[in-house]
Amino acid sequence: MTNAFPPNQQFLLAARPVGLPQAHDWQFHEQAVPEPQEGEIVVKVLYLSLDPAMRGWMNEGRSYIRPVAIGEVMRAGGLGIVVASRSPAFATGDYVVGGTGVQRYWSGPADDRNAGFRRIGSTVEHPTAWLNTLGMPGMTAWFGLREVGQARAGDTVVISGAAGAVGMTAGQIAKQMGCRVVGIAGGADKCRFVVERLGFDACIDYKAGPVQAGLKEHCPDGVDVYFDNVGGAILDAVLTRIRLHARIVICGAISQYNATEKVTGPSNYLALLVNRARMEGMVVFDYAARYPEAVAQLSQWLREGAIQSIEHVVEGFEGFPQALLMLFEGRNLGKLVLKVADA
């Protein structure tokens, strides 16, 4: 019997990167796509989500999720279409989102816990939004801001990485909640995008001058909630401006992910004591059971035009290693997505 699918192309992790991932850290691999057995499905990957967290998954050591093993398909979220099914859970033609990995086809049990596929319908008008506002970045923004940050109307909310996937959505959610929102981003174009396109009240260009000066100008009464996506010196600067009972959400630290020396912690941490403030880490997977409530509200806001889902789409599966580096070079505007194939 002839296999119904073309060879599956995959990117495997070949070595643990030191600093930025290099070409030799990847192995391009091809293998046959197996025919599904009872209870299994085959998913053709259409889009891959490229996220800063992927760099952390490549490191060895204890974390909130096991590291990608050497020789394993690189972990990534994706959107695809079911092209073969022997499971009652999914029909051929269903669009799904889940942990597809960096490959053209995913195959295995329909209820695979690592993949965690969710059916999003048989027709999808704006598919990339399911890897952005309606996907992991949107869920991170929603629960990070509302549950961990406990933002409320009237708060001054500061968001670093404001032009990236999580920051972009977190700021728009905060505006819908009645907060004053100040972004931090790198470069005049990004800051203009954050204010004019996304509706933030202000944006501080960390490349143009000291962040502390920008915070003093745009947050004269201090900061109630800081949504941190970058860590490092910017986190330290915001700590000097927090208000009494401020909440700091540690979502990510992209400034530190490719560091070859020891990660730099905040030297101004005693501001937490003085202001009786709280700094708490958040991992979006902890809220997986509640994703539908966030998707429902975010979908409504998208339909109403109250918020926007903006994706930076790069085409070409073979260009995955170069596309991933765009995250750490600050070359994406909005959520970075790799288009793998047409449906």
Side-chain angles (χ1 to χ4, degrees):
M1 181 178 176
T2 304
N3 193 297
F5 309 104
N8 187 18
Q9 296 177 333
Q10 307 169 313
F11 276 95
L12 313 182
L13 184 63
R16 304 277 178 211
V18 177
L20 284 170
Q22 305 293 319
H24 57 71
D25 296 322
W26 304 108
Q27 179 188 350
F28 187 77
H29 179 69
E30 286 193 358
Q31 66 179 33
V33 179
E35 294 290 336
Q37 302 301 305
E38 191 66 34
E40 294 186 340
I41 59 174
V42 177
V43 176
K44 179 183 179 182
V45 179
L46 306 179
Y47 295 94
L48 287 171
S49 176
L50 303 186
D51 299 289
M54 295 171 74
R55 179 61 186 84
W57 299 340
M58 299 166 74
N59 294 334
E60 196 167 25
R62 183 175 177 273
S63 186
Y64 62 89
I65 190 172
R66 71 166 182 81
V68 177
I70 300 298
E72 184 179 6
V73 175
M74 181 59 201
R75 181 184 295 134
L79 179 146
I81 186 169
V82 177
V83 291
S85 176
R86 294 188 62 187
S87 165
F90 300 99
T92 300
D94 282 349
Y95 286 87
V96 295
V97 288
T100 61
V102 183
Q103 56 187 341
R104 289 188 179 275
Y105 289 90
W106 183 96
S107 58
D111 59 356
D112 185 282
R113 292 184 63 185
N114 290 322
F117 285 118
R118 291 184 290 140
R119 181 182 181 275
I120 58 173
S122 55
T123 58
V124 180
E125 188 175 352
H126 301 292
T128 54
W130 285 93
L131 298 179
N132 187 13
T133 307
L134 303 179
M136 187 171 71
M139 303 301 100
T140 303
W142 177 271
F143 292 106
L145 190 67
R146 295 168 63 94
E147 299 293 327
V148 182
Q150 296 180 2
R152 47 189 175 262
D155 279 349
T156 293
V157 176
V158 173
I159 298 170
S160 58
V166 174
M168 177 178 68
T169 302
Q172 293 183 92
I173 293 170
K175 287 299 296 180
Q176 292 300 306
M177 295 174 65
C179 302
R180 172 173 170 78
V181 183
V182 176
I184 302 174
D189 289 343
K190 286 190 175 182
C191 285
R192 202 159 32 243
F193 168 79
V194 165
V195 173
E196 297 178 3
R197 185 85 183 268
L198 302 178
F200 285 47
D201 294 287
C203 188
I204 299 165
D205 182 357
Y206 70 82
K207 293 182 177 180
V211 170
Q212 276 179 296
L215 290 167
K216 187 174 181 180
E217 176 185 355
H218 297 296
C219 309
D221 298 323
V223 177
D224 297 293
V225 179
Y226 174 49
F227 198 112
D228 185 30
N229 291 303
V230 302
I234 292 178
L235 168 59
D236 229 12
V238 177
L239 282 171
T240 68
R241 299 294 301 174
I242 59 174
R243 298 184 67 190
L244 197 65
H245 303 305
R247 289 83 68 199
I248 298 168
V249 183
I250 302 299
C251 175
I254 195 170
S255 72
Q256 305 291 301
Y257 289 161
N258 294 294
T260 55
E261 299 177 355
K262 192 174 181 180
V263 170
T264 303
S267 59
N268 293 323
Y269 77 95
L270 284 177
L272 298 170
L273 168 63
V274 173
N275 293 286
R276 284 78 104 193
R278 174 170 56 81
M279 185 159 68
E280 182 176 345
M282 74 88 58
V283 174
V284 69
F285 305 129
D286 294 343
Y287 300 91
R290 296 177 56 193
Y291 288 176
E293 69 183 71
V295 169
Q297 180 62 77
L298 292 168
S299 296
Q300 180 181 332
W301 284 341
L302 283 171
R303 287 192 303 270
E304 294 171 350
I307 65 172
Q308 300 181 65
S309 186
I310 300 168
E311 293 79 50
H312 186 138
V313 180
V314 178
E315 297 200 25
F317 179 75
E318 295 81 0
F320 161 73
Q322 295 75 33
L324 183 65
L325 293 180
M326 292 176 64
L327 289 169
F328 308 106
E329 296 165 355
R331 291 193 285 128
N332 59 300
L333 201 59
K335 172 74 183 83
L336 188 59
V337 173
L338 182 67
K339 183 176 181 181
V340 176
D342 292 315

